[in-house]
Amino acid sequence: MDIESVADPESGEAELVARAVAGERAAVTEVARLLQDPLYRLALRMTGRPPDAEDATQEILLRVLERLGTWRGEARLSTWAYRIGVNYLLNLRRRSPQEAAQLSLDDFAADLRNGLAADDYRGPEATVLTREVRLNCSQGMLQCLSRDERVAFVLHDVFELGSDEAAWITDTTPAAHRKRLERARKRLGNFVNSACGLVDPKAPCRCARRVERAVELGRIDPRRPAYATHPVTAGGRTTAEAEQQMVRLHDTAAIFRAHPDYAAPEARRDAVAALLGSGRFPMLNRPRD
């Protein structure tokens, strides 16, 4: 499960929030630490690119902390934070390259077939770059969905949240959520079954045969892979472990679940820590007894 519950009432979630709202700096920092990586993973799936996900995560986390006093336990703290995050991401003005180009899944499939090598890539860092192509490609597929379809698919099939919880996060009904999910599943299923060799061996595209073309187009940087060498949360799944899970599952959703447990970059953690000391949060400026 990509997005996990970061806490629950039995483990002291309500008590932690109460301490944070009362102005205890260590508690506020702990809330930020617990939520930052899951929110980053959500933002990364929705925006498609690490730099955009970093910016979005910082803004979402600040909104969560500013509104922390309004949490009343109507949902788990993590679920409540995802609701704030989804609202921000659905209304984000910045668009991914695929969104800006209004790229359809048919266009994406045609692009994958263009320049496909006859043989697997055998050059330097072949394993890493093949993984980078796969991870980059699955992000690109998601960007070809509408945002409401994308978030429905990500919450339900990638992060494995139930319909009621996903519907609450997106402020819709379970029936409406399931309808969006059905559309997304159908579109992605048709695409991967016809184009992706990971799902259907008869399909034309192979990650290892896209490496040279992806490098040529600047889609991946062999010197600095964005996904295959991305930092992961301590104790979380690595890229290799996620890939093995995908191989075992052999289904469409596994392609999209098979990303490691990405961690928000350290520089952003430092930036959030600096903001917590900036005086922006009134709860941290209250005199303590």
Side-chain angles (χ1 to χ4, degrees), residues 108 111-112 114-117 121 128-137 205-222:
F108 195 79
D111 178 74
L112 290 179
N114 182 24
L116 198 63
Y121 177 73
V128 169
L129 295 184
T130 298
R131 284 175 180 161
E132 181 72 3
V133 166
R134 176 181 62 77
L135 295 169
N136 188 284
C137 184
C205 193
R206 299 288 187 279
C207 301
R209 298 182 185 182
R210 280 290 301 174
V211 173
E212 291 180 331
R213 181 61 172 166
V215 171
E216 178 187 339
L217 294 172
R219 304 273 173 79
I220 67 171
D221 184 347

Side-chain angles (χ1 to χ4, degrees), residues 2-8 11 13-14 16-18 20-21 26-44 53-54 56-71 75-86 89 159 161 165 168-169 233 261-265 268-269 272 276 281 283:
D2 250 33
I3 284 187
E4 65 278 6
S5 171
V6 297
D8 58 55
S11 66
E13 184 177 82
L16 175 65
V17 171
V21 171
V28 177
T29 300
E30 180 66 4
V31 170
R33 185 190 69 80
L34 288 170
L35 292 174
Q36 188 158 335
D37 286 356
L39 287 172
Y40 176 73
R41 290 193 282 272
L42 173 64
L44 186 56
E54 291 172 33
T57 302
Q58 180 168 310
E59 184 58 38
I60 294 166
L61 191 57
L62 294 178
R63 293 184 181 203
V64 166
L65 294 176
E66 287 173 339
R67 302 174 192 176
L68 199 56
T70 68
W71 179 67
R76 293 177 298 175
L77 180 62
S78 56
T79 302
W80 178 79
Y82 306 147
R83 183 178 169 115
I84 293 173
V86 163
L89 291 162
F159 297 152
L161 301 182
E165 190 172 9
W168 189 85
I169 289 169
T233 300
D261 294 329
Y262 298 121
R268 288 295 175 174
R269 296 172 184 270
V272 170
L276 291 178
F281 301 96
M283 62 186 175

Side-chain angles (χ1 to χ4, degrees), residues 245-261:
Q245 183 182 50
M246 178 196 69
V247 170
R248 290 195 300 270
L249 291 173
H250 292 294
D251 65 22
T252 299
I255 298 277
F256 300 93
R257 285 198 297 269
H259 280 244
D261 294 329

Side-chain angles (χ1 to χ4, degrees), residues 3 41-42 45-46 142 149-161 181:
I3 284 187
R41 290 193 282 272
L42 173 64
R45 295 306 182 90
M46 290 299 295
L142 288 174
E149 291 173 348
R150 192 185 317 156
V151 76
F153 184 82
V154 167
L155 291 175
H156 198 282
D157 277 11
V158 179
F159 297 152
E160 301 179 291
L161 301 182
L181 176 64

Side-chain angles (χ1 to χ4, degrees), residues 164-184:
D164 289 346
E165 190 172 9
W168 189 85
I169 289 169
T170 55
D171 195 21
T172 188
T173 65
H177 163 75
R178 287 191 291 270
K179 189 171 183 178
R180 292 172 183 173
L181 176 64
E182 182 181 359
R183 289 199 307 266

